[in-house]
Amino acid sequence: MITLAQNSGLLKLGRKPLPQNKFKLKNMRKLNLHSPDFTEGNIAKLAELFPTCVTETREADGTLKQAIDFDQLRQELSTAVVEGPQERYQLNWPGKREALLTANAPIAKTLRPARSESVDFDTTQNLFIEGDNLDALKLLQETYLGKVKMIYIDPPYNTGKEFIYDDDFSEDTASYFQRSNQKDEAGQRMVANTESNGRFHSDWLSMMYPRLKLARNLLRDDGVIFISIDDGEVANLRRLCDEIFGGDNFVANVVWQKKYAVSSDDPGIAPMHDYVLVFQKSERFNRNLLSRTEKQLSRYKSLDDDPRGPWSSDNYVSNKSKSERPTLWYAIKHPKTGEDVWPSEDAVWRYSKEKHEQMVIENRLYWGPNQSYQKPRIKRFLSEIQDGTVPSTWWSFEDVGHNDEGQKETGELLGKKIFSTPKPIRFIRRILDIATLKGDVILDFFSGSAACAHAVMKLNAEDAGKRKFIMVQLPEACGEKSEAYKAGYETITEIGKERIRRAGQKIKQDSANKEGIEQLDIGFRVLKIDSSNMKDVYYTPDSVRQSDLIDHVDNIRADRSAEDLLFQVLLDLGVDLTLPIVQETIAGKTVMFVDGNALAACFDADINEAFVKELAARHPLRAVFRDACFAGDSVKINIEQIFKLISPRTEIKTL
């Protein structure tokens, strides 16, 4: 599209300007094609709540911009202003403000589909996103806002070894936005955080802060996040999550026994555990009960052939004393001897005398084999108790696995020592059992070897679930001396994708005799983060020289496919990225239909009225075209009228 700025440039060149009414149609709106600007959104929310706090500031270029008067906002929120050196409880570190700006700053990037690396691309409900997870979280804001039930992440533990992260905390929002359009600079932002870095903890917190802030937006109101961490940053992470999620939304700090034996060469006190911090989005989160193990079920038996089924016995005596509960201290009859039986002086029966008589009538007391016990026990029937056990904060390796188990599972699929610290499937299965139901969306934006995706598919196979996963991983290079590199894996993302492929096949083979196993979704769409499909002129038209105007009439990058454009449209419209896509030919033009008639996209050139009429007859809810694709100005002018007559409910957009 030729912009107003470019049109004025044509005047300076002595050319006749193009009529703006042929390009500025009343209802045909342009797509944004960049992630949301959270700063502007937050200002708008505050302006609605506190209009007196809205002011204006003048930018360096002289333009006016809406802003918040924070002194006035403080006054609105408190009878005593909190400012200056006044002491307060807070978590702070060098770079925190810059990290907040990084979280709020929009980016102009996109997700490009990679069919050849995907499995069941056209039908799967799962995603594997390759790229910086900060960019990924921003790109997912429109589509998955408030839709993710559970997030699990296993971020770098900040142990003094290198970890890769985004260090763009030194530039302002405008600079960040401009640089984010340039593909060739993306790799330069990645730096290593080592012990020689003077801001060791600060850099780790700056890396985590914007990611957790954006991740919270994606959670459902009843959603929850589980974060694996060790002793090095658990205290800082707890306070960081208190700030982002709210201290009242802390659920638990789980201790996982990650090892089964102490290392004999450990120079200090050998660490045998890691932590899992659990925070909910709101009080609407409800944890599930855990299924009883075979060992737990074995405690329930029917020793007297009671028709109510198996039971286990419990103590009928309470630890309250006679002086505390005198009404519960009374004599009961032994059914065999007829003698009075009393609790001891420092104990009482569990129930009142009236309740005890009812228990006798209902045959709920057990006096032992051949009624040989001196005091009864109460029968707890399996059929009458809650269907499962309450999760605890202690996860032993016997229940959820250990580090070596995770290594073995990965080794059996990909080869020994391919990935250094994969979590065992049973460990992630415990998290899924606590937090998810059959149709939920699960996100892991530090996916590593994709153990989380493996666990999701395995659980779906067991309970016929339809859980969907979104894995995000930076294509970090494997060291040339690593076992992974020797096995042919150049990046961590290659390890994760191959694990999902092999794990999915193995799960289906192992469950071949199970009814409905063929419907199990073991596929995934690979989407790669890249620069926007739009040329730089789309975002910064004033920077284009007048001599280059003709070259920029088409604002799409030359190396981008129609499917690339489609996924950028899906992102901008907030449409589910896993919806089915069907390609059809209409009047000689290729049209991609998303989720039936929800969206129709055609990016071919020379769109004419005959084609538009046929497409409108399909009554799509939305229709999207390239801005420079129309055969003539008249077609672009008439397209809205054609849709208005044939399919008035269709929303038309261009890019």
Side-chain angles (χ1 to χ4, degrees):
M1 176 179 181
I2 295 182
T3 65
L4 288 171
Q6 294 165 339
N7 209 14
S8 63
L10 291 175
L11 278 172
K12 294 176 183 178
L13 291 172
R15 297 173 184 166
K16 184 179 179 180
L18 297 170
Q20 288 300 315
N21 65 337
K22 294 185 179 181
F23 295 90
K24 292 284 186 178
L25 298 181
K26 182 177 180 181
N27 297 318
M28 191 185 300
R29 291 178 290 179
K30 297 283 289 182
L31 295 165
N32 291 325
L33 302 180
H34 59 71
S35 66
D37 187 331
F38 292 103
T39 299
E40 291 185 1
N42 290 337
I43 289 175
K45 293 175 185 176
L46 286 173
E48 184 177 348
L49 291 173
F50 307 106
T52 60
C53 298
V54 180
T55 185
E56 292 181 348
T57 60
R58 192 174 296 278
E59 300 287 274
D61 61 1
T63 60
L64 289 174
K65 186 176 182 180
Q66 193 178 57
I68 296 296
D69 183 338
F70 288 102
D71 289 334
Q72 183 66 29
L73 180 61
R74 292 190 187 101
Q75 190 61 59
E76 291 278 4
L77 298 176
S78 177
T79 56
V81 177
V82 180
E83 62 180 356
Q86 183 171 335
E87 294 179 341
R88 69 197 80 167
Y89 179 80
Q90 62 179 341
L91 174 64
N92 212 347
W93 68 89
K96 182 178 181 180
R97 291 181 180 178
E98 290 82 0
L100 177 58
L101 289 175
T102 301
N104 288 337
I107 60 172
K109 292 194 175 184
T110 190
L111 294 174
R112 299 181 66 185
R115 277 184 171 269
S116 62
E117 301 176 31
S118 306
V119 175
D120 299 331
F121 185 94
D122 291 319
T123 59
T124 184
Q125 297 286 293
N126 303 316
L127 294 177
F128 187 102
I129 299 176
E130 183 173 318
D132 182 353
N133 55 15
L134 183 61
D135 290 339
L137 290 168
K138 290 185 177 186
L139 291 171
L140 295 176
Q141 291 295 306
E142 294 281 357
T143 304
Y144 289 96
L145 183 70
K147 294 181 180 179
V148 175
K149 178 60 191 300
M150 188 273 283
I151 297 174
Y152 169 71
I153 56 171
D154 184 13
Y157 282 3
N158 205 4
T159 58
K161 299 178 181 179
E162 293 187 358
F163 69 84
I164 305 300
Y165 70 104
D166 186 334
D167 193 34
D168 275 323
F169 305 134
S170 59
E171 56 188 352
D172 59 27
T173 301
S175 300
Y176 184 87
F177 178 82
Q178 184 176 14
R179 181 195 46 71
S180 295
N181 293 326
Q182 301 179 22
K183 177 180 178 181
D184 59 348
E185 292 184 7
Q188 298 177 13
R189 300 184 290 115
M190 302 304 167
V191 300
N193 185 48
T194 64
E195 288 180 313
S196 62
N197 189 332
R199 296 193 304 160
F200 186 69
H201 292 289
S202 297
D203 280 348
W204 191 86
L205 287 168
S206 291
M207 182 272 292
M208 291 296 295
Y209 184 72
R211 289 161 173 82
L212 290 177
K213 191 172 185 295
L214 292 167
R216 183 184 179 276
N217 296 339
L218 301 181
L219 284 174
R220 288 172 16 184
D221 286 343
D222 62 345
V224 62
I225 185 170
F226 292 74
I227 309 172
S228 284
I229 198 66
D230 69 351
D231 284 301
E233 294 290 354
V234 65
N236 285 331
L237 182 61
R238 169 70 187 272
R239 294 184 64 192
L240 186 65
C241 289
D242 281 342
E243 179 172 319
I244 293 173
F245 295 93
D248 291 343
N249 288 317
F250 169 74
V251 177
N253 185 6
V254 173
V255 180
W256 170 47
Q257 189 182 13
K258 65 179 181 179
K259 295 183 179 180
Y260 56 84
V262 175
S263 300
S264 58
D265 58 350
D266 195 293
I269 299 176
M272 298 290 289
H273 69 278
D274 276 343
Y275 301 97
V276 183
L277 280 180
V278 188
F279 276 80
Q280 61 188 8
K281 176 78 171 285
S282 73
E283 70 281 356
R284 292 183 59 184
F285 168 68
N286 290 311
R287 60 98 181 99
N288 301 322
L289 296 172
L290 297 174
S291 299
R292 287 185 171 80
T293 64
E294 291 298 325
K295 182 178 180 181
Q296 291 169 332
L297 290 172
S298 67
R299 300 170 187 164
Y300 293 85
K301 300 177 181 178
S302 184
L303 301 177
D304 57 356
D305 296 324
D306 194 301
R308 287 167 289 190
W311 49 267
S312 67
S313 64
D314 196 2
N315 200 341
Y316 198 59
V317 177
S318 171
N319 58 6
K320 300 291 184 180
S321 66
K322 175 183 177 182
S323 60
E324 291 178 287
R325 303 295 300 274
T327 59
L328 300 183
W329 200 81
Y330 54 87
I332 63 176
K333 293 292 184 182
H334 194 292
K336 186 173 183 179
T337 65
E339 297 176 353
D340 286 344
V341 178
W342 296 81
S344 60
E345 290 290 334
D346 59 350
V348 293
W349 302 122
R350 279 184 177 270
Y351 305 105
S352 67
K353 194 168 186 178
E354 293 76 13
K355 178 67 173 178
H356 167 75
E357 295 298 333
Q358 186 66 31
M359 303 284 274
V360 172
I361 294 172
E362 295 179 1
N363 187 27
R364 291 183 177 269
L365 300 183
Y366 179 62
W367 290 86
N370 299 318
Q371 299 180 334
S372 57
Y373 291 173
Q374 292 183 352
K375 294 177 182 177
R377 294 180 65 81
I378 185 171
K379 295 195 288 187
R380 305 285 190 190
F381 292 94
L382 181 60
S383 60
E384 295 179 348
I385 61 176
Q386 60 184 5
D387 189 21
T389 61
V390 176
S392 76
T393 57
W394 168 247
W395 295 3
S396 71
F397 68 81
E398 294 175 333
D399 292 333
V400 301
H402 44 68
N403 282 342
D404 286 352
E405 184 174 315
Q407 282 276 13
K408 183 179 179 181
E409 290 169 343
T410 308
E412 289 176 349
L413 284 173
L414 303 173
K416 292 183 178 180
K417 299 182 180 180
I418 292 296
F419 198 81
S420 58
T421 55
K423 291 294 184 287
I425 298 302
R426 287 195 294 158
F427 170 83
I428 301 177
R429 167 66 184 268
R430 169 64 60 88
I431 294 172
L432 294 171
D433 284 341
I434 291 172
T436 71
L437 298 176
K438 292 184 178 182
D440 290 335
V441 177
I442 294 97
L443 168 65
D444 181 353
F445 54 89
F446 285 97
S447 67
S449 70
C452 186
H454 188 165
V456 169
M457 293 188 297
K458 195 170 188 300
L459 179 54
N460 281 343
E462 294 175 12
D463 68 0
K466 300 292 184 182
R467 297 170 187 82
K468 309 167 188 177
F469 64 73
I470 304 173
M471 300 290 108
V472 182
Q473 178 59 45
L474 183 76
E476 183 181 344
C478 299
E480 293 186 5
K481 296 182 180 180
S482 67
E483 293 298 322
Y485 189 85
K486 294 175 184 176
Y489 301 103
E490 295 186 2
T491 64
I492 291 178
T493 51
E494 291 181 11
I495 295 174
K497 286 179 283 190
E498 186 61 21
R499 177 176 187 165
I500 300 174
R501 295 185 192 105
R502 297 188 185 187
Q505 291 298 326
K506 186 176 187 302
I507 290 169
K508 275 199 169 182
Q509 291 170 5
D510 293 345
S511 307
N513 296 327
K514 186 170 184 178
E515 184 179 355
I517 193 62
E518 288 304 315
Q519 282 70 51
L520 177 67
D521 186 356
I522 59 172
F524 57 97
R525 281 182 178 175
V526 176
L527 304 176
K528 297 188 178 185
I529 298 174
D530 205 337
S531 59
S532 172
N533 294 314
M534 316 305 290
K535 294 178 181 177
D536 292 341
V537 64
Y538 185 92
Y539 301 99
T540 55
D542 294 337
S543 67
V544 179
R545 294 177 300 177
Q546 294 177 358
S547 59
D548 295 332
L549 284 177
I550 301 302
D551 294 335
H552 291 292
V553 171
D554 188 351
N555 53 13
I556 308 296
R557 294 182 188 272
D559 64 335
R560 303 305 165 94
S561 68
E563 201 161 58
D564 289 335
L565 300 181
L566 174 64
F567 272 84
Q568 184 149 9
V569 170
L570 297 181
L571 282 172
D572 196 75
L573 295 177
V575 177
D576 190 338
L577 300 176
T578 64
L579 289 175
I581 301 169
V582 176
Q583 184 172 297
E584 296 185 28
T585 300
I586 298 177
K589 305 296 181 184
T590 300
V591 182
M592 290 175 286
F593 289 94
V594 179
D595 194 27
N597 247 16
L599 172 69
C602 180
F603 305 114
D604 287 0
D606 299 322
I607 297 297
N608 54 45
E609 293 181 6
F611 163 76
V612 172
K613 289 177 181 178
E614 287 197 40
L615 180 60
R618 302 287 291 269
H619 303 288
L621 295 179
R622 287 169 171 163
V624 182
F625 308 93
R626 290 174 63 168
D627 200 60
C629 72
F630 301 101
D633 293 343
S634 61
V635 176
K636 189 168 185 179
I637 294 172
N638 293 335
I639 183 174
E640 285 188 290
Q641 292 302 317
I642 294 172
F643 271 100
K644 187 175 181 180
L645 290 172
I646 300 175
S647 183
R649 296 181 62 183
T650 299
E651 181 182 5
I652 310 166
K653 288 184 177 288
T654 63
L655 57 78

